């Protein structure tokens, strides 16, 4: 049985500079510029994953690039994937990865989650989280409320970004008309809002060990 290491342990290792932790996964983005180069990289990643007997891997192939996500923080496999990309002369862009979740405030999660599961066609993990089985859509989670808050937007986005990009992303959002609601939990997450007080959380792995 593979033991999941912490995000801190993963980032302390050598040879994983291409990768960034986003909540429970690690991702790397390789801009290829063409589908042909992307397919070549995907073929190598698939071969390496088969050799490592690693089933907890997702690949997103687009015309502009390839995103590889490991659900287990597999240092050895991450290194080998980076080496394969380098051999194909495809550099990584660690600033380009992110993970987005939609979060809904709920008083009784058990009463509302079945509705969203049926509507989205998602699958459920635990008591408060849904995921797209095709891995194309954002995650959907519930956040416990202790009392109704009709004056507040009850649905918001959680945007997980690379830990070394969070401050720049926040600064850009503030410069674009947003404002800081709370940094009480930083650097795990900051709460921002747009000009009409619609909230969003910007999150990193830092402090989640």
């Amino acid at each position: 049985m593979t033991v999941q290491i912490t995000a801190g342990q993963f980032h302390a290792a050598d040879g994983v500079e291409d990768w960034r932790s986003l909540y429970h996964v690690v991702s790397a983005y390789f801009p290829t510029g063409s589908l042909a180069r992307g397919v070549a990289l995907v073929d190598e990643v698939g071969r390496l994953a088969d050799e490592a007997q690693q089933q907890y891997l997702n690949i997103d192939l687009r015309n502009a690039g390839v995103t590889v996500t490991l659900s287990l923080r597999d240092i050895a496999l991450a290194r080998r994937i980076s080496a394969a990309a380098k051999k194909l002369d495809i550099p990584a862009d660690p600033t380009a990865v992110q993970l987005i979740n939609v979060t809904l405030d709920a008083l009784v999660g058990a009463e509302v989650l079945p509705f969203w599961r049926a509507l989205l066609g998602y699958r459920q993990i635990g008591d408060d989280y849904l995921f797209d089985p095709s891995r194309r859509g954002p995650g959907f989670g519930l956040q416990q409320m202790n009392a109704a808050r009709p004056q507040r937007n009850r649905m918001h986005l959680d945007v997980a970004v690379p830990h070394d990009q969070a401050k720049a992303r926040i600064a850009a959002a503030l410069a674009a008309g947003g404002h800081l609601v709370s940094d009480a939990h930083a650097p795990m997450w900051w709460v921002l809002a747009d000009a009409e007080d619609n909230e969003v959380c910007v999150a990193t792995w830092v402090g989640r060990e």
Side-chain angles (χ1 to χ4, degrees):
M1 181 177 178
T2 303
V3 177
Q4 176 75 301
I5 64 173
T6 68
Q9 290 171 326
F10 179 87
H11 283 289
D14 294 328
V16 295
E17 294 78 15
D18 293 344
W19 300 77
R20 294 295 184 272
S21 292
L22 305 171
Y23 292 131
H24 59 286
V25 304
V26 290
S27 289
Y29 176 72
F30 302 94
T32 59
S34 73
L35 281 175
R37 281 165 56 81
V39 168
L41 178 58
V42 167
D43 185 60
E44 281 297 300
V45 173
R47 180 182 63 80
L48 292 171
D50 284 346
E51 288 180 358
Q53 297 183 337
Q54 179 57 270
Q55 303 297 317
Y56 300 97
L57 180 149
N58 289 302
I59 301 173
D60 186 294
L61 169 64
R62 305 294 173 104
N63 187 65
V66 174
T67 302
V68 184
T69 300
L70 303 177
S71 297
L72 292 177
R73 303 183 183 103
D74 188 329
I75 293 171
L77 182 56
R79 287 171 176 160
R80 296 184 71 188
I81 291 172
S82 290
K86 186 175 182 180
K87 188 174 181 180
L88 292 170
D89 196 27
I90 303 174
D93 180 3
T95 70
V97 297
Q98 65 179 15
L99 183 63
I100 297 177
N101 285 322
V102 177
T103 303
L104 176 69
D105 292 342
L107 288 170
V108 184
E111 293 183 358
V112 301
L113 201 62
F115 168 84
W116 291 102
R117 184 175 65 238
L119 180 69
L120 298 170
Y122 276 20
R123 294 178 184 170
Q124 185 168 339
I125 297 177
D127 297 327
D128 60 1
Y129 189 76
L130 304 175
F131 72 97
D132 181 357
S134 69
R135 301 302 195 276
R136 292 193 302 265
F140 185 94
L142 297 182
Q143 182 169 282
Q144 180 66 48
M145 286 196 306
N146 295 322
R149 294 193 297 269
Q151 78 283 1
R152 179 176 180 261
N153 189 340
R154 289 178 55 185
M155 187 175 289
H156 68 274
L157 295 182
D158 290 329
V159 183
V161 301
H163 64 282
D164 50 1
Q165 296 297 313
K167 290 184 178 179
R169 186 73 69 91
I170 291 168
L174 297 179
H179 59 274
L180 178 67
V181 176
S182 174
D183 61 359
H185 300 282
M188 281 196 294
W189 76 86
W190 293 257
V191 183
L192 309 182
D194 64 16
E196 296 187 358
D197 292 324
N198 298 298
E199 294 183 2
V200 59
C201 293
V202 179
T204 75
W205 64 267
V206 179
R208 298 176 185 271
E209 312 310 329

